[in-house]
Amino acid sequence: MTQSAAPPDRRPVVTPTRVIAGVCLIAPFVAMLWVSSYARVEPTLIGIPFFYWYQMAWVLISTVLTMVAYKLVQREQRARKGGGSR
């Protein structure tokens, strides 16, 4: 006999939503660990060397990406439990 659908509690754990959330969380680490991409002085922004303002920009970008990842996972968990999305 063929099984038509998996029970709701047996859905795959690795979903496209979780992959996107993972990429959002990994991106800041990759950006900061790839030092040769930002280890320079030029271009300056209001007198601040690139090295410093690039890192500070990633603080803000990381915040946004973490928030996006959280919201994606939260929405997916709500959908798994059968609740409405908000």
Side-chain angles (χ1 to χ4, degrees), residues 4-86:
S4 61
D9 60 338
R10 299 301 251 159
R11 288 185 241 168
V13 176
V14 179
T15 61
T17 303
R18 290 188 180 201
V19 170
I20 293 170
V23 169
C24 287
L25 295 173
I26 293 292
F29 288 103
V30 172
M32 291 292 92
L33 290 175
W34 186 20
V35 179
S36 63
S37 70
Y38 63 92
R40 58 181 185 251
V41 175
E42 296 295 326
T44 59
L45 180 69
I46 33 178
I48 302 170
F50 181 75
F51 181 81
Y52 294 110
W53 67 259
Y54 178 82
Q55 290 181 33
M56 291 310 295
W58 271 102
V59 170
L60 300 175
I61 294 167
S62 297
T63 303
V64 170
L65 289 175
T66 302
M67 184 179 68
V68 168
Y70 173 75
K71 290 295 183 182
L72 286 172
V73 171
Q74 186 180 37
R75 182 185 307 159
E76 183 184 1
Q77 286 179 345
R78 218 178 293 129
R80 277 179 179 255
K81 290 180 181 177
S85 63
R86 197 170 147 196

